[in-house]
Amino acid sequence: MEGQDEVSAREQHFHSQVRESTICFLLFAVLYVVSYFIITRYKRKSDEQEDEDAIVNRISLCLSTFTLAVSAGAVLLLPFSIISNEILLSFPHNYYIQWLNGSLIHGLWNLASLFSNLCLFVLMPFAFFFLESEGFAGLKKGIRARILETLVMLILLALLILGIVWVASALIDNDAASMESLYDLWEFYLPYLYSCISLMGCLLLLLCTPVGLSRMFTVMGQLLVKPTILEDLDEQIYIITLEEEALQRRLNGLSSSVECNIMELEQELENVKTLKTKLERRKKASAWERNLVYPAVMVLLLIETFISVLLVACNILCLLVDETAMPKGTRGPGIGNASLSAFGFVGAALEIILIFYLMVSSVVGFYSLRFFGNFIPKKDDTTMTKIIGNCVSILVLSSALPVMSRTLVSQPRSL
């Protein structure tokens, strides 16, 4: 009987592992497909040649898509963990949600951490160096030569980073035990480097999020149709049409030798056409879209911003006066045993909304900073190098989002 019970336990464990692996694969496949469509929407079409560079671009595209999918998974993990905990609390004995357990959630977190390290320290550097490589002088040009150069650059980069960490450790803590721990690459170097990257991401989030919260109103104002109060859109469209025709006539009258004036007129004409398109969109918009959607979205943004700032202020005050308010890491009641919010399912839903709002605000703030303004992707006109930079930036932000969300926005018990 004991042997049969042991075999049954092994079979059950095996089926559980297969089920969890299948769920992880399906979730990642969905994120990968969505990420692929997002990147191809912005990727420059002129990069699609039919030669050696085309193969390099496809490989870099696959690696960038993988990184963006990992970033999306890292962003969605905390909301997924919160909603899974509330579902298990509401339906603890439901047969159809037994697959949603603590083992699956912890497995997803471990995979997210592993893939984030892989993308940040291996795949993205490889994609960048592979894209910029040409092969060593004297060797036959081709994919193999470019791969060889890329691998050599990766080895040199790894040695440089490890050397910097070694020197920094020797300067800060010149202890034999700490120096010996540096020999353990897997247990010390990679977690330490990823923690440093997460710290940089937290600092970047703390810088970008306030800027993004202030810019969200401007961005939504550009995306939505504003109410037409004391405005005559027909007259504005008529004036802008006359200006467009005048610019077109001036452009047709200039000779091709005056290249500077032609470029200025073309840019001005493009701006006029863009303004005309916006005015026509405002005119075609329905009354409820102009007079209801815009005010409702602005009020919703104001409420979310107020709640976010209020929660951040309260949590910072709690962290200052109470040491037990810090997240406890792995010490917790486990998933499905206690609610992560004092307000139950409603509080958990509010936390999820605020987490997404903070992530969107941080991305908007990131692209609003002057130093990162050139990183803004353009539809059908973004080079692969810029796409790689955007993927790395989003990965750094997404790796720091769970830490900042659990510390400043919500105070959930550990899963």
Side-chain angles (χ1 to χ4, degrees), residues 53-95:
D53 291 334
I55 301 176
V56 175
N57 279 322
R58 291 194 191 101
I59 295 175
S60 300
L61 175 63
C62 293
L63 297 179
S64 301
T65 305
F66 184 87
T67 302
L68 187 59
V70 172
S71 304
V75 171
L76 295 174
L77 261 182
L78 184 57
F80 180 74
S81 302
I82 295 174
I83 197 66
S84 299
N85 184 74
E86 299 302 324
I87 290 176
L88 289 175
L89 280 175
S90 302
F91 309 98
H93 303 295
N94 194 318
Y95 173 77

Side-chain angles (χ1 to χ4, degrees), residues 291-309:
N291 303 322
L292 181 62
V293 174
Y294 182 83
V297 171
M298 288 300 166
V299 171
L300 183 62
L301 285 178
L302 184 62
I303 293 174
E304 290 181 345
T305 304
F306 175 77
I307 295 176
S308 301
V309 174

Side-chain angles (χ1 to χ4, degrees), residues 25-210:
F25 175 78
L26 292 176
L27 292 176
F28 184 78
V30 173
L31 293 177
Y32 187 90
V33 171
V34 174
S35 302
Y36 177 80
F37 282 113
I38 292 175
I39 291 181
T40 52
R41 178 181 176 84
Y42 291 98
K43 181 176 177 294
R44 179 178 292 178
K45 302 303 180 183
S46 60
D47 288 344
E48 298 177 357
Q49 306 98 352
E50 291 298 332
D51 53 7
E52 176 185 314
D53 291 334
I55 301 176
V56 175
N57 279 322
R58 291 194 191 101
I59 295 175
S60 300
L61 175 63
C62 293
L63 297 179
S64 301
T65 305
F66 184 87
T67 302
L68 187 59
V70 172
S71 304
V75 171
L76 295 174
L77 261 182
L78 184 57
F80 180 74
S81 302
I82 295 174
I83 197 66
S84 299
N85 184 74
E86 299 302 324
I87 290 176
L88 289 175
L89 280 175
S90 302
F91 309 98
H93 303 295
N94 194 318
Y95 173 77
Y96 296 101
I97 61 171
Q98 292 303 310
W99 57 271
L100 198 61
N101 50 38
S103 177
L104 174 64
I105 302 300
H106 286 291
L108 289 174
W109 279 103
N110 292 332
L111 287 176
S113 177
L114 174 63
F115 287 152
S116 296
N117 280 287
L118 181 65
C119 293
L120 198 57
F121 299 119
V122 179
L123 298 185
M124 285 294 92
F126 178 86
F128 176 77
F129 289 131
F130 190 46
L131 195 66
E132 299 295 328
S133 63
E134 296 181 356
F136 290 113
L139 294 179
K140 183 180 179 181
K141 300 298 182 182
I143 298 296
R144 291 184 178 180
R146 299 180 72 161
I147 292 177
L148 178 61
E149 180 183 353
T150 303
L151 293 177
V152 171
M153 293 297 296
L154 283 178
I155 293 173
L156 293 177
L157 179 64
L159 292 176
L160 176 63
I161 294 176
L162 296 180
I164 292 174
V165 174
W166 186 285
V167 172
S169 178
L171 293 176
I172 297 173
D173 187 12
N174 191 12
D175 186 16
S178 63
M179 297 297 290
E180 289 178 1
S181 65
L182 291 175
Y183 289 105
D184 197 340
L185 177 66
W186 186 259
E187 294 293 334
F188 180 81
Y189 265 121
L190 292 182
Y192 178 73
L193 288 176
Y194 188 67
S195 299
C196 293
I197 297 298
S198 297
L199 176 61
M200 294 173 55
C202 287
L203 297 177
L204 188 60
L205 276 178
L206 292 175
L207 177 65
C208 296
T209 304

